[in-house]
Structures are given as C-alpha cells and as structure tokens.
Amino acid sequence: LSAAAPTLAERLSAVGWRCEAVLATRALGPESSGLGQGFDHVEAPLRSWRWTADEVVSRARARLHTQDGRPLFLWLHVAEGEWPHAPEAQDLARYYRPTDDPLHEGYKRPKVFKQSMPLPYLDVRDLNWARARYKASLTSLDRALGALLDEPRVRAGTVAFVGSQGLGLGEHSIWFKHVGLYPSVLHVPLIVAAGDGTWPAGSRCDEPVSTLGLTATLATAVGADAEGWQGADLLAVARGEL
C-alpha cells in the first residue's frame, strides 16, 4: 500500500481513536504490506505463515483490555477459510463420517483439472470430504469468534464482519481459490451490528452494495473525514435512502 493512500486508521487516529490490528497471516504484516499506516499497534506472525483463529482472538482480547481513555478501532483478521484446511477431528465429524474413506475405490474418480485442485486432494475420490474439511474449519473459526463477540466492550460497540473474497468449492472446476468473476468469489458476507442500535437490527439489504462503502461509513459515523473514498454510505442504504 502506498504511503500516500489515506487509511481508515489514519482518519480515525486524527479524531482521537486508538487503532490496533491483529492479523492472521504474515503477508499482511506491515513490513511487507504497508497496511500498518495509522495503527498504534499491529500484531502479525513473523516465524509462522499463519496464526489460528484461537491465537488471533486471544491476542485481540488482550488488546481490548488495554485501556487509555480513547475509543478503540480493532481490525481483526482471521484466515481459517483459506487453504490449507486442517480442522479438528471432532469438528470434521459433524460433516463427514469418520468411518468413511474418501479414497475408497468404490467412488467414481471425479474429473478435475490438476491446476485447479490442491495437490493433496488429487487422489481423493469423494470430494465431499474436501468440502467437509472447509466447513469444519469455519466451525472452529465461529467458535473462536464467539468468545470475542461475548466481550462486553465488543457487545457495546459496532462490529463489522466482512470477507475479502470468496472461494470456489468445486463450481466451474475451481477448488479453494478465488479465481475469476464468479458469484462465489464476489458475493462475500457483509454484516454490521451496533450495541447502541445505530444499525437497524435484523434488517437485510437486498440492494447490491460494495465493501468499499464500509470504510467511509465507519469513518462518517464517528465524525472522521471520509473525503475521497469510494463506496456508498451503507447506513443510508440500510435506511432506504439510497
């Protein structure tokens, strides 16, 4: 990221916010990405490629209890949905019977492009096992995030949950990658909740929106400068004004 690009953390810092980040992957660390602009504190792996969601949430909860009188913006990044998927056995058992063998010759060998399938799965005959490992990884992610969402400071604040991109789960012969302009890649979660009722609880917006609008929306909501940013005010969209 160019140093000339204004970030949400820089805009929030300018109006008195403390900005912290806990990032799951080494690639997002400020040394290699430039994404630390405006943050008072950033944590990301240095020796390993990725932290588990439990590790990320544990570090994030510690940052929540660092009080200095300023409101807090916490960017939390988790990556359990990314390949490779290594779920716990008890989570995998929810989606795939432990007694089944995904390599069994009784399954018809699926036709897949080698370039589109992770190498460890090329000999797998029952690809429901591969999907189950993905689902089980998200289950462990949900469990970790639940502990964070139960924190009183999080409950009282505004929480925005968004994905960076979707993954192919076999559609168009694409497995666990974000390739092309397919709906599975472009349509990602965007969920916002606020403890003070700022966001209308239980409402669903049927109009197409972009995650680009999230940054400007959060900045505007607290009186920070959002000039020059793309994206519609999502609060206005939620109220039916746009």
Side-chain angles (χ1 to χ4, degrees):
L1 181 67
S2 167
T7 67
L8 178 59
E10 288 175 313
R11 298 282 177 87
L12 294 180
S13 294
V15 293
W17 285 62
R18 187 173 96 250
C19 298
E20 309 253 355
V22 183
L23 313 174
T25 56
R26 187 170 57 195
L28 289 184
E31 296 83 2
S32 57
S33 70
L35 294 176
Q37 293 171 205
F39 285 92
D40 298 279
H41 180 85
V42 179
E43 295 183 26
L46 293 176
R47 295 184 177 87
S48 62
W49 173 73
R50 186 171 83 183
W51 283 337
T52 65
D54 285 331
E55 174 73 10
V56 172
V57 168
S58 176
R59 291 173 178 269
R61 294 176 74 182
R63 303 313 305 175
L64 284 174
H65 298 292
T66 304
Q67 304 274 359
D68 67 355
R70 290 184 290 171
L72 172 66
F73 168 59
L74 177 61
W75 174 26
L76 183 71
H77 170 253
V78 287
E80 247 69 5
E82 294 183 4
W83 170 265
H85 305 125
E88 298 290 337
Q90 65 270 21
D91 290 329
L92 182 58
R94 295 182 59 178
Y95 305 102
Y96 198 85
R97 289 183 299 187
T99 55
D100 286 354
D101 179 8
L103 303 178
H104 196 279
E105 292 183 356
Y107 291 110
K108 183 179 179 180
R109 184 178 293 278
K111 294 181 179 180
V112 297
F113 296 109
K114 290 184 178 181
Q115 295 84 353
S116 70
M117 174 67 73
L119 288 177
Y121 287 167
L122 286 180
D123 293 328
V124 172
R125 290 174 174 261
D126 183 10
L127 291 176
N128 287 322
W129 180 74
R131 294 188 183 95
R133 289 172 63 84
Y134 171 75
K135 294 177 182 178
S137 296
L138 296 190
T139 293
S140 64
L141 171 59
D142 289 345
R143 187 167 52 244
L145 289 178
L148 181 71
L149 295 174
D150 279 339
E151 286 278 352
R153 194 172 187 184
V154 175
R155 284 183 174 273
T158 297
V159 176
F161 176 86
V162 65
S164 56
Q165 75 276 318
L167 293 177
L169 299 179
E171 306 91 348
H172 314 288
S173 299
I174 298 172
W175 289 88
F176 310 120
K177 297 181 180 181
H178 41 89
V179 177
L181 299 178
Y182 297 110
S184 60
V185 174
L186 298 177
H187 293 179
V188 299
L190 176 54
I191 305 169
V192 185
D196 63 0
T198 303
W199 293 80
S203 64
R204 180 187 178 109
C205 178
D206 293 323
E207 297 297 321
V209 297
S210 168
T211 54
L212 285 173
L214 184 60
T215 304
T217 304
L218 294 176
T220 302
V222 299
D225 180 18
E227 182 180 355
W229 281 337
Q230 298 176 355
D233 181 348
L234 299 180
L235 269 173
V237 174
R239 292 191 296 261
E241 297 172 4
L242 292 178

